[in-house]
């Protein structure tokens, strides 16, 4: 109805040669966008009008008239104009796409056409389908602005413009333009409750709409002046509102009671609009030859202006250059035929579509085509943005990386340093499995969930009552009464378990998950190798395996099986750690092949081996399953962060399941959806009938079972029931033993995955959260460093270690400071709480530097905290991996390699295990030590490097998260790598001779630990990583001056003897100038610095020289004399005192700003005198005793701050009482030594 009343009007006007505009006005949620755009089933004014235009062109116009249509689409966001149809390849050669921002466009004025947007792209269209494509791309680009460019909301004004040119055979040209405007809705701040970026958006929107209202009022009142230029929006719409245009406004109102005021305001607005009268005129255009001639003249004029002003203002030259390029582009388009321009648009659309698909913004057609494919869907803090990015996982291998990087990832994510060029890989593989095996897998999955549910004390074992509860839920038999004490005790004894603890999950699986084969007895001395392609298996390969892997392990036979696996028969029973150790060795043997990850060493009863064998069995029993796995693109990188359900993915691929939550880097959160796996997908009628029939068959099978097995009173009876079910097709396909449980347990899967019952899960949650927090703080530090032009950056990484309490491998967060003042760069590794402490100082320094300059900041803190005190760099890494069954008694040589893989040295270590149960006897056989208490000793013999170095040190984590540091420097050296306590002369004299061989007499000892399978796995992969550090400089003279100054300047306490004989202890650094020392004394005594005279051994000290120049060490005594003092130098005759801030001159203000004890209010008052902005300054106490932040102390921070605030208030009250008491005495007496007392008067 709306289109019938209004739509035909603007379409008719366009064909007659009149400009037209259509826009909707109203509050948010009133239906403006629905009116303008509509939905797929119910199109709005814009799509209906566009379709009508092309319908008329095809049906109503003869060949005598040629009609060409072009389109543009722009967005006004935060009063800035952006092109929503820009080419994604534009500017690619100039800079990386990841660094490019959306280009802001400028408004220009044409003497005939009025305001226009310079650089806005126009695209020729040949049919309505082309317009649909462009509108979809434009809407998708708005989503890009929200999600990729950190825009929180899509709240913006959009203008879709159609340009119609009609060419008659007689040479007449008629032009018209249709502006289709979608305005953002107005909102009341007190209703929305928004903050932050959304608040800024709301302000800009309301401001622009207010400006629009002012324009409407001025036009309605026929005012002489109309304020078009009060906003970008009204400037763009000036022709539509009061110029050469026929304009339609649709008023949208809300029927809700609580929106009465907004509805009334909108109706009053519409009433004013009705008073506006416009005089539109037909637009006569120029022929193409005339347009081409005018463009050439304009281009020549711009070239001349550029030649004249090439050395002038850079911004102005850039504007001219940009205008020239746009004119050249327009000239090129004028010379093209319309069909060529349409073809160019369609090619550009394909590029746009590909570019948007890489960012999760697929077209509607692609979304329909891939509706049943697995996908990643984004999760945003703003609910309205969740689901705006969808990545369909249709390829076998999908690379995820930084948007616009050289690796050309299939999925591009905006990177702030947290997303690497190659970050993660998602693999999709179709694997075959038998229906019976799938039933067994589902059965085991549900059994394991029930096991966890019945394990009330979470110790990993089921006692008799818990085991009977589990059995009852699995059997789903009302007649089950439980087992006897004797039978349960026998089950425990047969598996070497105590009756008190009960049975483990492995025992239950091995007891009841019997597939019924005649050879069901598990042979514990046999295992099989699978995953090697059949065409690669031959006699030579079997011989090589026997000689390289199994030669020393009492192997009876190695033979090829009918399933293309290799069976290995041992003379002894294999333990779980044996299986894992052999698998590691076998994979290392095949590490250069492309199938190394597929190679596995499995027991005969392993479900994965059953899957492998079933692929060659009965084809009628086969079903195809799509397995989706996620893995790190570079598992050795500490900087690649991937979390699935808050669990880090690094060394081993992680299979994804429907509903899993994935975090890439620090802020890109997605949910994995697999429609084929989702049990809640709605069924067709046929599928539903089939499911009901299957349930009926399973019920019959249950009734039949009760007749055959009338009583289940023993474990033997239960095993028979399980065997009977496994051999019954109804149970095998439908899994009747878990009917009613499976669907519910699938729903609970996410809760099970994310539950925090175990300490390991709590750690994983805390680790991911802390990593995001620390990364954010590192980004803050890096931004401050760049703003101050410091060549220092901070990077987040991890170190792995073994946690004996949780019996697992964990990661700890470290921060590396990289200083680029030298080559190679200086690097220093610190713990997260050390970095957080440093960040406080960095923030304070940055705020002081921004407000008052770096000179004031450095003097206030006696330091530049961005500059490092450490003079070392990371030489390389050595990795200790202990695999195989037996240890080598010889010295182990570990290669030291750089990040690029180049070998630069070797580390020589000796590994010893001692069996504590056998009088600490040395042991080299892991089988003998399995699950026994041992002592681990790693002795370090030497490090050999290719270059000669004065010393080296290395750091690592082993058992426990403490970072161990071992160095071969002389004992009087600082252990942290710095040289701050050594003067240059001593440094040159005591620096050890350079050598390529560095001998150590140290060892790393773990006095007592149980060699569990988990600990053994840690030692084999990833092992212990040693980071080897080496000095960059031989002495201070080789350092850059900015670093040398800091290295030589050490903290000291200088004693100042005041004129009255009192001794003042002054903390400072040896790099401080004497003038700075005098200002510090002034802060403490109120003796003005120009009155002070410092003496060392009766020798006056010069203000411009440093303490280091005078060899003033810690504890040195300096004598202070005051100009104008008495003859004996003790009694001060004159002190300059300032009674008001207004008495301060410029030099006094500069001195006052360097006072570290100034409060926020005091510093603000002084800065206002200098007409500088007020900023917050921390108290000196916060820098002297910074609060260290650890994972455990995060929740206590607020409590501590409140306590400190209370103590500060008490101190203020005490000082005020003391001041009042002093005033009551008349102010006579000794002068105050407390700085700032004059301010309180």
């Amino acid at each position: 109805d709306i289109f019938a009343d209004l739509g035909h009007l603007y379409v008719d006007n366009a064909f007659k040669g009149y400009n037209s505009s259509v826009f909707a006005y109203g509050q948010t949620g009133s239906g403006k966008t629905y009116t303008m755009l509509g939905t797929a089933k119910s199109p709005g004014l814009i799509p209906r009008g566009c379709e009508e235009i092309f319908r008329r062109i095809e049906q109503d116009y003869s060949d005598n008239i040629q009609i060409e249509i072009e389109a543009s689409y722009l967005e006004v966001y935060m009063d800035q104009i952006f092109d929503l149809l820009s080419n994604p390849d534009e500017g690619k050669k100039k800079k990386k796409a990841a660094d490019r921002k959306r280009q802001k466009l400028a408004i220009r004025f044409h003497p005939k056409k009025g305001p226009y947007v310079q650089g806005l792209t126009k695209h020729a269209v040949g049919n309505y389908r082309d317009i649909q494509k462009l509108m979809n791309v434009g809407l998708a680009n708005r989503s890009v602005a929200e999600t990729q460019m950190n825009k929180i909301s899509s709240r913006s004004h959009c203008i879709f413009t159609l340009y119609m040119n009609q060419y008659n055979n007689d040479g007449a040209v008629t032009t018209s333009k249709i502006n289709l405007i979608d305005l953002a809705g107005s909102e009341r701040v007190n209703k929305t409750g928004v903050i932050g970026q959304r608040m800024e958006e709301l302000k800009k929107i309301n401001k622009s709409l207010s400006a629009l209202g002012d324009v409407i009022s001025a036009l309605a009142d026929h005012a002489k002046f109309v304020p078009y230029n009060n906003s970008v929006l009204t400037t763009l719409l000036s022709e539509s509102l009061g110029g050469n245009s026929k304009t339609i406004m649709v008023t949208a109102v809300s029927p809700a009671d609580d929106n009465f005021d907004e509805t009334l305001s909108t109706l009053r607005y519409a009433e004013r609009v009705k008073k506006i009268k416009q005089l539109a005129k037909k637009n006569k255009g120029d022929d193409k030859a005339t347009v081409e001639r005018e463009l050439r003249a304009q281009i020549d004029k711009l070239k001349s202006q550029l030649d004249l002003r090439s050395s002038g203002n850079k911004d102005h030259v850039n504007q001219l250059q940009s205008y020239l390029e746009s004119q050249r582009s327009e000239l090129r388009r004028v010379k093209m035929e319309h069909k060529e321009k349409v073809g160019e648009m369609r090619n550009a659309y394909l590029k746009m579509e590909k570019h948007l698909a890489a960012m999760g913004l697929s077209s509607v057609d692609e979304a329909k085509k891939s509706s049943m494919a697995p996908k990643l869907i984004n999760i945003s803090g703003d609910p309205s943005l969740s689901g705006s990015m969808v990545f369909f996982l249709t390829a076998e291998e999908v690379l995820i990386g930084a948007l616009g990087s050289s690796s050309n990832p299939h999925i591009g994510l905006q990177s702030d340093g947290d997303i690497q060029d190659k970050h993660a890989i998602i693999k999709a593989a179709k694997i075959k499995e038998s229906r019976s095996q799938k039933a067994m897998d589902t059965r085991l999955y549900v059994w394991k969930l029930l096991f966890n549910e019945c394990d009330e004390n979470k110790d990993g074992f089921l006692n008799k009552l818990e085991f009977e509860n589990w059995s009852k839920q699995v059997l789903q038999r009302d007649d089950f009464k439980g087992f006897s004490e004797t039978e349960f005790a026998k089950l425990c004894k047969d598996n070497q378990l105590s009756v008190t603890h009960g049975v483990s999950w492995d025992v239950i699986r091995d007891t009841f998950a019997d597939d019924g084969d005649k050879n069901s007895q598990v042979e514990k001395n046999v295992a099989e190798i699978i995953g090697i392609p059949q065409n690669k298996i031959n006699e030579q390969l079997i011989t090589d395996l026997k000689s390289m892997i199994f030669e020393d392990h009492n192997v009876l036979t190695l033979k090829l099986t009918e399933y293309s696996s290799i069976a290995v028969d041992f003379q002894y029973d294999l333990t779980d750690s044996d299986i894992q150790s052999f698998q590691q060795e076998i994979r290392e043997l095949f590490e250069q092949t492309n199938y190394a990850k597929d190679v596995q060493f499995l027991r005969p009863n392993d479900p994965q081996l059953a899957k492998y064998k079933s692929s060659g069995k009965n084809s009628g029993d086969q079903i195809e399953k799509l397995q989706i796995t996620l893995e790190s693109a570079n598992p050795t990188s500490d900087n690649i962060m991937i979390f699935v359900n808050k669990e880090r993915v690094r060394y081993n691929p992680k299979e994804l399941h429907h509903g899993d939550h994935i975090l890439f880097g620090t802020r890109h959160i997605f949910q994995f959806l697999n429609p084929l796996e989702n049990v809640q997908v709605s069924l067709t009628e046929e599928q539903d009938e089939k499911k009901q029939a299957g349930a009926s068959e399973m019920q019959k099978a249950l009734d039949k079972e009760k007749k055959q097995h009338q009583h289940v009173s023993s474990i033997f009876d239960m095993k028979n029931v399980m065997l009977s079910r496994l051999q019954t097709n109804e149970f095998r396909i439908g899994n009747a033993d878990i009917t009613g449980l499976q669907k519910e347990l699938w729903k609970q899967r996410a809760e099970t995955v994310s539950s925090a019952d175990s300490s390991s899960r709590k750690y994983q949650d805390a680790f991911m959260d802390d990593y995001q927090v620390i990364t954010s703080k590192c980004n803050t530090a890096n931004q401050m460093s760049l703003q101050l032009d410091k060549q220092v950056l901070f990077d987040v990484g991890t170190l792995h270690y073994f946690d004996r309490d949780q019996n697992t491998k964990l990661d700890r967060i470290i921060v590396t400071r990289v200083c680029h003042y030298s080559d190679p760069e200086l690097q220093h590794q610190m713990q997260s709480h050390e970095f957080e402490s440093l960040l406080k100082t960095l923030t304070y320094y940055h705020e002081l530097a921004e407000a008052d300059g770096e000179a004031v900041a450095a003097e206030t803190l006696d330091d530049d905290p961005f500059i490092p005190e450490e003079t070392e760099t990371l030489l390389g890494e050595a990795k200790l991996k202990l695999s195989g069954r037996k240890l080598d008694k010889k010295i182990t040589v570990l290669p030291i390699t750089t990040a690029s893989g180049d070998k630069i040295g070797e580390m020589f270590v000796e590994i010893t295990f001692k069996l504590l149960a056998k009088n600490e006897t040395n042991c080299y056989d892991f089988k003998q030590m399995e699950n026994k208490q041992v002592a681990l000793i790693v002795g370090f013999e030497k490090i050999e490097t290719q270059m000669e170095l004065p010393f080296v040190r290395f750091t690592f984590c082993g058992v426990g998260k403490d970072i161990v540091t071992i160095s071969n420097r002389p004992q009087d050296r600082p252990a942290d790598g710095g040289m701050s306590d050594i003067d240059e002369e001593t440094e040159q004299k005591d620096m050890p001779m350079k050598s390529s061989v560095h001998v150590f007499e140290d060892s790393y000892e773990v006095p007592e630990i149980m060699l569990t399978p988990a600990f053994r796995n840690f030692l084999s992969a990833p092992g212990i990583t040693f980071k080897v550090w080496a000095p960059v400089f031989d002495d201070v003279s080789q350092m850059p001056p900015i670093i040398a100054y800091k290295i030589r300047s050490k903290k000291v306490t200088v004693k100042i003897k005041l004129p009255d004989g009192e001794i003042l202890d002054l903390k400072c650094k040896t790099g401080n100038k004497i003038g700075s020392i005098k200002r510090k004394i002034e802060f403490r005594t109120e003796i003005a610095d120009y009155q002070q005279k410092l003496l060392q051994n009766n020798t006056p000290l010069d203000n411009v020289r440093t303490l280091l120049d005078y060899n003033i060490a810690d504890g040195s005594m300096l004598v202070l004399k005051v100009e104008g003092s008495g003859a004996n130098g003790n009694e001060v005759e004159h002190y300059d005192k300032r009674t008001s801030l207004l008495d301060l001159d410029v030099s006094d203000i500069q001195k006052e700003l360097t006072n570290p004890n100034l409060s926020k209010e005091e510093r603000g008052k002084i800065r206002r005198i200098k007409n500088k902005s007020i900023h917050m300054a921390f108290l000196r106490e916060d820098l002297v005793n910074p609060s260290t932040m650890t994972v455990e102390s995060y929740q206590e921070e607020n409590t501590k701050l409140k306590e400190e605030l209370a103590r500060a208030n008490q101190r203020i009250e005490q000082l005020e009482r003391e001041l009042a008491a002093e005033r009551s005495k008349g102010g006579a007496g000794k002068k105050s030594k407390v700085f700032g007392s004059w301010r309180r008067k």
Side-chain angles (χ1 to χ4, degrees), residues 299-318:
I299 289 171
D300 292 338
K301 181 179 178 182
L302 288 170
K303 285 181 178 179
S304 300
Q305 291 179 351
L306 276 173
D307 291 338
L308 291 173
R309 304 181 184 182
S310 58
S311 59
N313 182 277
K314 185 177 180 181
D315 291 338
H316 186 60
V317 170
N318 289 338

Side-chain angles (χ1 to χ4, degrees), residues 274-292:
K274 290 177 67 176
K275 297 179 181 179
I276 301 174
K277 303 296 182 183
Q278 289 179 279
L279 297 175
K281 60 181 180 179
K282 281 190 176 182
N283 300 298
K284 299 295 182 181
D286 296 324
D287 56 42
K288 290 186 177 181
T290 303
V291 173
E292 184 177 342

Side-chain angles (χ1 to χ4, degrees), residues 480-721:
F480 175 71
K481 303 300 181 184
F483 307 120
S484 67
E485 295 280 356
T486 305
E487 193 173 23
F488 182 73
K490 185 177 183 302
L491 179 64
C492 295
K493 184 177 179 182
D494 290 345
N495 291 277
Q496 300 179 351
L497 296 170
S498 69
V499 179
T500 305
H501 285 92
V503 292
S504 65
W505 163 247
D506 291 338
V507 170
I508 290 179
R509 182 190 60 199
D510 295 342
T511 302
F512 299 108
D514 190 340
D515 64 0
D517 289 344
K518 59 184 179 181
N519 297 322
S520 60
Q521 182 65 35
V522 177
E523 298 179 88
K524 295 186 178 181
N525 64 320
V526 176
E528 295 185 34
I529 303 171
I530 66 169
I532 303 174
Q534 187 174 0
N535 61 345
K536 301 292 183 182
I537 301 177
N538 50 45
E539 291 298 327
Q540 183 60 47
L541 175 64
I542 294 176
T543 302
D544 291 343
L545 283 169
K546 188 170 184 178
S547 61
M548 296 181 183
I549 305 295
F550 303 108
E551 185 174 15
D552 300 327
H553 297 287
N554 299 322
V555 172
L556 293 174
T557 60
L558 268 83
K559 60 182 180 181
L560 181 65
T561 72
E562 60 180 308
Y563 305 106
S564 299
S565 63
I566 299 174
V568 187
D569 190 357
F570 292 82
Q571 291 182 358
Y572 56 88
D573 291 345
L574 296 170
T575 64
D576 289 342
S577 60
D578 289 331
I579 295 292
Q580 294 169 357
S581 177
F582 280 125
Q583 175 164 302
Q584 180 67 26
E585 288 189 58
I586 295 168
R587 281 187 175 178
E588 288 178 358
L589 183 64
F590 291 97
E591 64 181 352
Q592 299 300 322
T593 67
N594 58 1
Y595 54 84
K597 290 183 178 180
D598 301 327
V599 177
Q600 298 185 73
F601 192 60
L602 305 172
R603 292 183 185 276
N605 65 331
D606 194 296
Q608 294 187 66
L609 183 60
K611 283 185 187 179
Y612 182 80
K613 290 183 176 181
S614 67
S615 62
K617 284 187 177 180
N618 180 15
S619 59
D621 190 44
Q622 296 294 300
I623 57 173
E624 208 170 54
K625 172 188 175 184
L626 186 65
Q627 185 182 54
I628 309 294
T629 57
L630 172 66
E631 60 187 67
S632 171
N634 181 11
T636 61
S637 173
D638 291 331
N639 299 322
I640 293 180
M641 286 293 167
I642 308 165
F643 297 90
V644 176
N645 299 320
K646 295 193 173 184
E647 181 178 351
R648 188 179 179 190
V649 177
R650 186 171 183 182
Y651 294 103
N652 299 314
K654 175 76 173 178
E655 184 174 358
L656 298 179
H657 296 282
H658 181 78
D660 283 346
H661 285 72
I662 307 170
L663 170 66
F664 298 105
T666 58
R667 60 192 175 90
H668 296 284
I669 304 176
F670 293 89
Q671 186 174 29
F672 173 73
L673 301 179
N674 188 353
L676 299 176
E677 188 181 358
N678 184 9
V679 298
Q680 297 178 1
V681 173
S682 59
L683 301 174
T684 63
E685 291 185 10
E686 182 181 350
Q687 290 172 323
D688 193 47
E689 290 175 2
K690 187 175 180 181
K691 183 179 179 183
Q692 292 177 3
S696 176
E697 291 295 323
M698 287 185 285
Q699 186 59 47
K700 291 179 182 178
L702 270 173
D703 296 338
K704 183 179 179 182
E705 176 191 275
K706 289 183 179 180
K707 292 179 181 179
Q708 292 178 348
H709 304 277
Q710 294 183 357
H711 301 289
V712 182
S713 58
S714 68
I715 295 176
F716 179 78
D717 292 339
M718 185 171 175
K719 289 178 67 174
N720 289 335
V721 171

Side-chain angles (χ1 to χ4, degrees), residues 430-442:
K430 291 182 179 179
I431 60 173
K432 290 185 177 180
E433 60 181 1
S434 67
R435 298 179 186 275
S436 57
Q437 188 59 48
K438 183 181 179 183
M440 176 61 77
D441 289 346
T442 309

Side-chain angles (χ1 to χ4, degrees), residues 913-916 929 932-936 1006-1009 1011:
F913 282 92
K914 293 182 181 292
L915 266 174
L916 300 182
M929 296 184 285
K932 293 183 174 63
Q933 293 290 343
V934 298
L936 169 62
V1006 182
E1008 183 178 354
I1009 188 171
L1011 191 64

